[in-house]
Amino acid sequence: MRHKEKIKYWIDLADYDFETAKVMLLSNRFLYVGFMCHQCIEKALKALYVKTKLEAPPKIHSLSILIRKIGLENDLSDLFIELVDKLDPLNIEARYPTYKDELFKSLTKDYCQIVFDQTSELLKWIKTKL
């Protein structure tokens, strides 16, 4: 696969995950809104990694590490940095039942709507870099 095809592959997955987050929000499945928002941004960052590094992205899930590896840490707004700080733990915590009870208490409809809206903005911003 050429680099353009790899970038398209990752962005198509990011868009799919964003739409899944939307469906989860509309159906009040709040635990998975954050998880799918994380997945969306992870895949968009992997597309940007391919574009900037001209190689396959690392097999990691940490948004913070991907951002550093791409060299974006100084380009992100404070709002986007805060969003990444919110999303990073949701990747792991949504997967493991030990954390789910605690997460359910914190993931309200209003909170998830904010995370979803901010994810939409960050996804758009990442796409401008492609």
Coordinates of all heavy atoms in Angstrom, one line a residue, residues 12-64:
D12 N -10.5 6.7 7.0 CA -11.7 6.0 6.8 C -12.1 5.3 8.1 O -13.3 5.4 8.6 CB -11.7 5.0 5.7 CG -11.7 5.6 4.3 OD1 -11.9 6.8 4.2 OD2 -11.4 4.9 3.3
L13 N -11.1 4.7 8.8 CA -11.4 4.1 10.1 C -11.8 5.1 11.1 O -12.7 4.9 12.0 CB -10.2 3.3 10.5 CG -9.9 2.0 9.8 CD1 -8.6 1.4 10.2 CD2 -11.1 1.0 9.9
A14 N -11.1 6.2 11.1 CA -11.4 7.3 12.1 C -12.8 7.8 11.9 O -13.5 8.0 12.9 CB -10.4 8.5 11.9
D15 N -13.2 8.1 10.7 CA -14.5 8.5 10.4 C -15.6 7.5 10.8 O -16.6 7.9 11.4 CB -14.7 8.8 8.9 CG -13.9 10.1 8.4 OD1 -13.6 10.9 9.3 OD2 -13.7 10.2 7.2
Y16 N -15.3 6.3 10.6 CA -16.2 5.2 11.0 C -16.4 5.2 12.5 O -17.5 5.1 13.1 CB -15.7 3.8 10.5 CG -16.7 2.7 10.8 CD1 -17.7 2.4 9.9 CD2 -16.5 2.0 12.0 CE1 -18.5 1.3 10.1 CE2 -17.4 0.9 12.2 CZ -18.4 0.6 11.3 OH -19.3 -0.4 11.6
D17 N -15.3 5.3 13.2 CA -15.3 5.3 14.7 C -16.0 6.6 15.2 O -16.7 6.5 16.2 CB -13.9 5.2 15.3 CG -13.3 3.9 15.1 OD1 -14.0 2.9 14.8 OD2 -12.1 3.7 15.3
F18 N -15.9 7.7 14.5 CA -16.6 8.9 14.9 C -18.1 8.7 14.8 O -18.8 9.1 15.7 CB -16.1 10.1 14.1 CG -16.7 11.4 14.6 CD1 -16.3 12.0 15.8 CD2 -17.7 12.0 13.8 CE1 -16.9 13.2 16.2 CE2 -18.3 13.2 14.2 CZ -17.9 13.8 15.4
E19 N -18.5 8.1 13.7 CA -19.9 7.9 13.5 C -20.4 6.9 14.5 O -21.6 7.0 15.0 CB -20.2 7.3 12.1 CG -20.1 8.4 11.0 CD -21.0 9.6 11.2 OE1 -22.2 9.4 11.5 OE2 -20.5 10.7 11.1
T20 N -19.6 5.9 14.9 CA -20.0 5.0 15.9 C -20.2 5.7 17.3 O -21.1 5.4 18.0 CB -19.0 3.8 16.1 OG1 -18.9 3.2 14.8 CG2 -19.4 2.8 17.2
A21 N -19.3 6.6 17.6 CA -19.4 7.5 18.8 C -20.7 8.2 18.8 O -21.4 8.3 19.8 CB -18.2 8.4 18.9
K22 N -21.1 8.7 17.6 CA -22.4 9.5 17.5 C -23.5 8.6 17.8 O -24.5 9.0 18.6 CB -22.5 10.0 16.1 CG -23.7 10.8 15.8 CD -23.7 11.4 14.4 CE -24.9 12.2 14.1 NZ -24.8 12.7 12.7
V23 N -23.5 7.4 17.3 CA -24.6 6.4 17.5 C -24.7 6.1 19.0 O -25.7 6.0 19.6 CB -24.4 5.1 16.7 CG1 -25.4 4.1 17.1 CG2 -24.6 5.5 15.2
M24 N -23.5 5.9 19.6 CA -23.4 5.6 21.1 C -24.0 6.7 21.9 O -24.7 6.5 22.9 CB -22.0 5.3 21.5 CG -21.4 4.0 20.9 SD -22.2 2.5 21.4 CE -23.2 2.1 20.0
L25 N -23.7 7.9 21.5 CA -24.2 9.1 22.2 C -25.7 9.2 22.1 O -26.4 9.4 23.1 CB -23.6 10.4 21.7 CG -24.0 11.7 22.3 CD1 -23.6 11.7 23.8 CD2 -23.3 12.9 21.6
L26 N -26.2 9.0 20.9 CA -27.7 9.1 20.7 C -28.5 8.0 21.4 O -29.6 8.1 21.7 CB -28.0 9.0 19.2 CG -27.5 10.2 18.3 CD1 -27.7 10.0 16.9 CD2 -28.2 11.5 18.8
S27 N -27.8 6.8 21.6 CA -28.5 5.7 22.3 C -28.1 5.6 23.8 O -28.4 4.7 24.4 CB -28.1 4.4 21.6 OG -26.8 4.1 21.6
N28 N -27.5 6.7 24.3 CA -27.1 6.8 25.7 C -26.2 5.7 26.2 O -26.2 5.3 27.3 CB -28.4 6.9 26.6 CG -29.2 8.1 26.3 OD1 -28.7 9.2 26.1 ND2 -30.5 7.9 26.3
R29 N -25.3 5.3 25.3 CA -24.3 4.3 25.7 C -23.0 5.0 26.0 O -22.0 5.0 25.2 CB -24.1 3.3 24.5 CG -25.4 2.6 24.0 CD -25.8 1.6 25.0 NE -24.9 0.5 25.1 CZ -25.1 -0.7 25.5 NH1 -26.3 -1.0 26.0 NH2 -24.2 -1.6 25.6
F30 N -23.0 5.8 27.1 CA -22.0 6.7 27.4 C -20.6 6.2 27.6 O -19.6 6.8 27.2 CB -22.4 7.6 28.6 CG -23.7 8.3 28.4 CD1 -24.6 8.3 29.4 CD2 -24.0 9.0 27.2 CE1 -25.8 8.9 29.2 CE2 -25.2 9.6 27.0 CZ -26.1 9.6 28.0
L31 N -20.5 5.0 28.1 CA -19.2 4.4 28.3 C -18.4 4.3 26.9 O -17.2 4.5 26.9 CB -19.3 3.0 28.9 CG -18.0 2.2 29.1 CD1 -17.1 2.9 30.1 CD2 -18.4 0.8 29.6
Y32 N -19.1 4.0 25.9 CA -18.5 3.7 24.6 C -18.4 5.0 23.8 O -17.7 5.0 22.7 CB -19.2 2.6 23.9 CG -19.1 1.3 24.6 CD1 -20.1 0.8 25.4 CD2 -17.8 0.7 24.7 CE1 -19.9 -0.3 26.2 CE2 -17.7 -0.5 25.4 CZ -18.7 -0.9 26.2 OH -18.5 -2.1 26.9
V33 N -19.0 6.1 24.2 CA -18.8 7.4 23.5 C -17.3 7.8 23.6 O -16.6 8.0 22.6 CB -19.7 8.5 24.0 CG1 -19.3 9.8 23.4 CG2 -21.2 8.2 23.8
G34 N -16.8 7.8 24.8 CA -15.4 8.2 25.0 C -14.5 7.2 24.4 O -13.5 7.6 23.8
F35 N -14.8 5.9 24.5 CA -13.9 4.9 23.9 C -13.8 5.1 22.4 O -12.7 5.1 21.8 CB -14.4 3.5 24.2 CG -13.6 2.4 23.6 CD1 -12.4 2.1 24.1 CD2 -14.1 1.7 22.5 CE1 -11.6 1.1 23.5 CE2 -13.4 0.7 22.0 CZ -12.1 0.4 22.4
M36 N -14.9 5.3 21.7 CA -14.9 5.5 20.3 C -14.3 6.8 19.9 O -13.7 6.9 18.8 CB -16.3 5.3 19.7 CG -16.9 3.9 19.9 SD -15.8 2.6 19.4 CE -15.5 2.9 17.7
C37 N -14.5 7.9 20.7 CA -13.8 9.1 20.4 C -12.3 8.9 20.5 O -11.6 9.5 19.6 CB -14.3 10.2 21.4 SG -15.9 10.8 21.1
H38 N -11.9 8.2 21.5 CA -10.4 7.9 21.6 C -10.0 7.1 20.3 O -8.9 7.5 19.7 CB -10.1 7.0 22.8 CG -8.7 6.6 22.9 ND1 -8.1 5.6 22.1 CD2 -7.7 7.1 23.6 CE1 -6.9 5.5 22.4 NE2 -6.5 6.4 23.3
Q39 N -10.7 6.1 19.9 CA -10.3 5.3 18.7 C -10.3 6.2 17.5 O -9.4 6.1 16.7 CB -11.3 4.2 18.5 CG -11.3 3.1 19.6 CD -10.0 2.4 19.6 OE1 -9.7 1.7 18.6 NE2 -9.2 2.5 20.6
C40 N -11.2 7.1 17.4 CA -11.3 8.0 16.2 C -10.0 8.9 16.2 O -9.4 9.0 15.1 CB -12.5 8.9 16.4 SG -12.5 10.4 15.3
I41 N -9.7 9.5 17.3 CA -8.5 10.4 17.3 C -7.2 9.6 17.1 O -6.3 10.0 16.4 CB -8.4 11.3 18.5 CG1 -9.7 12.2 18.6 CG2 -7.1 12.0 18.6 CD1 -9.8 13.1 17.4
E42 N -7.1 8.4 17.7 CA -6.0 7.5 17.5 C -5.7 7.2 16.1 O -4.6 7.3 15.6 CB -6.2 6.2 18.3 CG -5.0 5.2 18.1 CD -5.3 3.9 18.8 OE1 -6.0 3.8 19.8 OE2 -4.7 2.9 18.3
K43 N -6.8 6.9 15.3 CA -6.6 6.5 13.9 C -6.3 7.7 13.1 O -5.5 7.6 12.1 CB -7.8 5.7 13.5 CG -7.9 4.4 14.1 CD -9.2 3.7 14.0 CE -9.1 2.4 14.8 NZ -10.4 1.8 15.1
A44 N -6.9 8.9 13.4 CA -6.6 10.1 12.7 C -5.1 10.5 12.9 O -4.4 10.9 11.9 CB -7.5 11.2 13.1
L45 N -4.6 10.3 14.1 CA -3.2 10.6 14.4 C -2.3 9.6 13.7 O -1.2 10.0 13.2 CB -2.9 10.6 15.9 CG -3.5 11.7 16.7 CD1 -3.3 11.5 18.2 CD2 -2.8 13.0 16.3
K46 N -2.7 8.4 13.5 CA -1.9 7.4 12.8 C -1.9 7.8 11.3 O -0.8 7.6 10.7 CB -2.5 6.0 13.0 CG -2.1 5.5 14.5 CD -2.5 4.1 14.8 CE -2.0 3.8 16.2 NZ -2.3 2.4 16.5
A47 N -2.9 8.3 10.8 CA -2.9 8.8 9.4 C -1.9 9.9 9.3 O -1.1 10.0 8.3 CB -4.3 9.3 9.0
L48 N -1.9 10.9 10.2 CA -1.0 12.0 10.2 C 0.5 11.5 10.4 O 1.4 12.0 9.8 CB -1.3 13.0 11.3 CG -0.6 14.3 11.3 CD1 -0.6 15.0 9.9 CD2 -1.2 15.2 12.4
Y49 N 0.6 10.4 11.2 CA 2.0 9.9 11.4 C 2.5 9.3 10.1 O 3.6 9.6 9.7 CB 1.9 8.7 12.4 CG 3.2 8.1 12.8 CD1 4.0 8.6 13.9 CD2 3.8 7.1 12.0 CE1 5.2 8.1 14.2 CE2 5.1 6.6 12.3 CZ 5.7 7.1 13.4 OH 7.0 6.6 13.7
V50 N 1.7 8.6 9.3 CA 2.1 8.1 8.0 C 2.5 9.3 7.1 O 3.5 9.2 6.4 CB 1.0 7.3 7.4 CG1 1.3 6.9 5.9 CG2 0.7 6.0 8.2
K51 N 1.7 10.3 7.1 CA 2.0 11.5 6.3 C 3.3 12.1 6.6 O 4.1 12.5 5.8 CB 0.9 12.5 6.3 CG 1.2 13.8 5.6 CD 0.0 14.5 5.1 CE 0.2 15.8 4.4 NZ 1.2 16.0 3.5
T52 N 3.6 12.3 7.9 CA 4.7 13.0 8.4 C 6.0 12.2 8.4 O 7.1 12.7 8.1 CB 4.6 13.7 9.7 OG1 4.2 12.7 10.7 CG2 3.4 14.7 9.7
K53 N 5.9 10.9 8.7 CA 7.0 10.0 8.9 C 7.3 9.1 7.7 O 8.3 8.5 7.6 CB 6.9 9.2 10.1 CG 6.7 10.0 11.4 CD 8.0 10.8 11.7 CE 7.8 11.5 13.1 NZ 9.0 12.2 13.4
L54 N 6.3 9.0 6.8 CA 6.4 8.1 5.6 C 6.7 6.7 6.0 O 7.5 6.0 5.3 CB 7.4 8.7 4.6 CG 7.1 10.1 4.1 CD1 8.3 10.5 3.2 CD2 5.8 10.1 3.3
E55 N 6.1 6.3 7.1 CA 6.2 4.9 7.5 C 5.0 4.5 8.3 O 4.2 5.4 8.7 CB 7.5 4.7 8.4 CG 7.5 5.5 9.7 CD 8.8 5.5 10.4 OE1 9.9 5.4 9.8 OE2 8.7 5.5 11.7
A56 N 4.9 3.2 8.6 CA 3.7 2.7 9.3 C 3.8 3.3 10.8 O 4.8 3.4 11.3 CB 3.7 1.2 9.4
P57 N 2.6 3.6 11.3 CA 2.6 4.1 12.7 C 2.9 3.0 13.7 O 2.7 1.8 13.4 CB 1.1 4.6 12.8 CG 0.4 3.8 11.9 CD 1.3 3.5 10.7
P58 N 3.4 3.4 14.9 CA 3.7 2.4 15.9 C 2.4 1.8 16.4 O 1.3 2.4 16.3 CB 4.3 3.2 17.0 CG 3.9 4.6 16.8 CD 3.7 4.8 15.3
K59 N 2.5 0.6 16.9 CA 1.3 -0.2 17.4 C 1.1 0.2 18.8 O 1.3 -0.6 19.7 CB 1.5 -1.7 17.2 CG 1.5 -2.0 15.7 CD 1.7 -3.5 15.5 CE 1.8 -3.8 14.0 NZ 2.0 -5.2 13.7
I60 N 0.7 1.4 19.0 CA 0.4 1.9 20.4 C -1.0 2.6 20.4 O -1.5 2.9 19.3 CB 1.5 2.9 20.9 CG1 1.6 4.1 19.9 CG2 2.9 2.2 21.0 CD1 2.5 5.2 20.4
H61 N -1.5 2.8 21.6 CA -2.8 3.4 21.7 C -2.8 4.8 22.4 O -3.8 5.5 22.4 CB -3.8 2.5 22.4 CG -3.9 1.1 21.8 ND1 -4.5 0.9 20.6 CD2 -3.4 -0.1 22.2 CE1 -4.4 -0.3 20.3 NE2 -3.8 -1.0 21.2
S62 N -1.6 5.1 22.9 CA -1.5 6.4 23.7 C -1.5 7.6 22.7 O -0.7 7.7 21.9 CB -0.2 6.4 24.5 OG 0.0 7.7 25.0
L63 N -2.6 8.4 22.8 CA -2.7 9.6 22.0 C -1.5 10.6 22.3 O -0.9 11.2 21.4 CB -4.0 10.3 22.3 CG -5.3 9.5 22.1 CD1 -6.5 10.3 22.3 CD2 -5.3 8.9 20.7
S64 N -1.1 10.7 23.6 CA 0.0 11.6 24.0 C 1.3 11.2 23.3 O 2.0 12.0 22.8 CB 0.1 11.6 25.5 OG -1.1 12.0 26.1

